[in-house]
Amino acid sequence: MGKLSIDQLRERVRGAVVTPDDESYDEARKVHNAMIDRRPAAVVHCANAGDVMATVDFARENGLDLAVRGGGHSVPGFGTCDGGVVADLSGMRGVRVDAAGRTARAEGGATWGDFNAATYAFGLAATGGIISTTGVGGLTLGGGIGYLARGLGLSCDNLVSADVVTADGRLVVASEEENADLFWALRGGGGNFGAVTSFEFRLSPVKDIYGGPMLFELADAPTVLRSFADHIADAPEELGGFPAFQIAPPLPFIPEDRHGDTFALIVACWSGPLDEGERAVGAFRDFAPVVAEHVGPMPYPALN
Ligand SMILES: Cc1cc2nc3c(=O)[nH]c(=O)nc-3n(C[C@H](O)[C@H](O)[C@H](O)COP(=O)(O)OP(=O)(O)OC[C@H]3O[C@@H](n4cnc5c(N)ncnc54)[C@H](O)[C@@H]3O)c2cc1C
């Protein structure tokens, strides 16, 4: 077969193919990090695995770079490129839960918000990112840490199999049993081994958690971070936490005169029995005086 032209690609795929001549081009080439300003030759809004295969073929046959965009959260902007083709999977976000088998299959462009909302209904979860808008794709392929990682392992440890379009445009299954070397590479090797059209995860029982954000004075950050590191090392595996710095948003639980100030923050997540949550999370309050907090029982997806 000869090289496909853009028009032939348009005929071959279900999703829209956006080029610099199209009005939606600027919107289509955007990624999360607004410092990234790349101009691909085409963005293909893939609708299914067939579209991904056609996009990979198109890029290969025309000698163009190919970027795969999942959730678009790559800080250096690996979900886009200059002059090449973007396979944008953000329209492929379906999540199917097999509650009896305790697995879930997420399409390659699903976010953790999509995933957690789907599995929560069954009281199940896998380790995902701390923020709902991060992509299942890039996060899992890079390893994936989150609130549940201490008990359940990294996101990639929960991966059972993946449907992958390889550079020659074939769709293959990668798992412990099939294409085991590719499966090994996908679990932490980043986005360079193929375009994953669906990820199958093992699920574990997690529904409502006890936790939320706690804000400490910035001056207490050294004590808070050191105490967190010491405490979490031996804490039960159901306890997760995310220490960070945070500019206080205008939320009702933060004193109004402190909105806009920078704080040291711990977001706590206890995924064990709810009635043990207050004791587990309360330990963080001993690190330093808490300025504001929004801690209590809540659905796991709400924390994200
Ligand atoms: C606000 C924010 C919060 C974050 N929180 C966490 C966190 O809690 N835990 C954590 O571990 N990391 C976190 N990260 C880092 C994040 O996991 C990585 O940036 C990750 O690469 C983002 O994946 P994405 O699919 O959203 O991004 P994209 O930019 O779409 O993709 C990132 C990389 O993965 C590849 N890729 C994406 N989807 C696929 C696919 N389906 N098939 C093949 N390749 C694919 C892309 O080609 C690219 O190389 C966070 C990042 C941000 C910006």
Side-chain angles (χ1 to χ4, degrees), residues 31-33 52 66-80 87-89 92 106-112 127-147 154-155 163-165 186 190-199 242 304:
V31 289
H32 179 76
N33 182 355
V52 179
L66 174 75
V68 181
R69 183 191 189 281
H73 265 201
S74 165
V75 176
F78 292 155
T80 183
D88 183 346
L89 274 54
M92 294 173 56
E107 286 191 292
T111 63
W112 285 105
T127 302
I130 54 160
I131 307 269
S132 61
T133 48
T134 305
V136 169
L139 185 135
T140 302
L141 297 172
I145 52 167
Y147 296 117
L154 300 176
S155 303
D163 291 350
V164 189
V165 179
L186 293 176
N192 289 318
F193 295 94
V196 179
T197 56
S198 89
F199 295 86
F242 171 62
N304 296 93

Side-chain angles (χ1 to χ4, degrees), residues 72-165:
H73 265 201
S74 165
V75 176
F78 292 155
T80 183
C81 58
D82 271 324
V85 183
V86 176
D88 183 346
L89 274 54
S90 62
M92 294 173 56
R93 295 169 63 152
V95 180
R96 182 183 185 280
V97 180
D98 171 359
R102 285 200 180 171
T103 59
R105 188 173 276 285
E107 286 191 292
T111 63
W112 285 105
D114 299 324
F115 189 89
N116 294 336
T119 61
Y120 175 77
F122 302 95
L124 297 167
T127 302
I130 54 160
I131 307 269
S132 61
T133 48
T134 305
V136 169
L139 185 135
T140 302
L141 297 172
I145 52 167
Y147 296 117
L148 305 179
R150 293 188 68 244
L152 305 183
L154 300 176
S155 303
C156 69
D157 295 325
N158 292 269
L159 192 66
V160 177
S161 75
D163 291 350
V164 189
V165 179

Side-chain angles (χ1 to χ4, degrees), residues 3-116:
K3 283 187 198 172
L4 281 178
S5 67
I6 287 271
D7 284 341
Q8 286 169 317
L9 178 65
R10 282 201 167 104
E11 283 167 13
R12 230 177 109 179
V13 297
R14 171 88 176 143
V17 178
V18 178
T19 62
D21 299 333
D22 292 304
E23 249 177 50
S24 57
Y25 179 69
D26 281 334
E27 191 54 38
R29 69 188 183 88
K30 257 192 208 158
V31 289
H32 179 76
N33 182 355
M35 289 169 72
I36 305 293
D37 183 24
R38 307 226 166 100
R39 303 187 68 84
V43 177
V44 184
H45 293 291
C46 296
N48 52 41
D51 283 5
V52 179
M53 292 160 78
T55 308
V56 170
D57 284 344
F58 174 81
R60 188 189 60 253
E61 287 164 8
N62 287 283
L64 296 170
D65 280 347
L66 174 75
V68 181
R69 183 191 189 281
H73 265 201
S74 165
V75 176
F78 292 155
T80 183
C81 58
D82 271 324
V85 183
V86 176
D88 183 346
L89 274 54
S90 62
M92 294 173 56
R93 295 169 63 152
V95 180
R96 182 183 185 280
V97 180
D98 171 359
R102 285 200 180 171
T103 59
R105 188 173 276 285
E107 286 191 292
T111 63
W112 285 105
D114 299 324
F115 189 89
N116 294 336

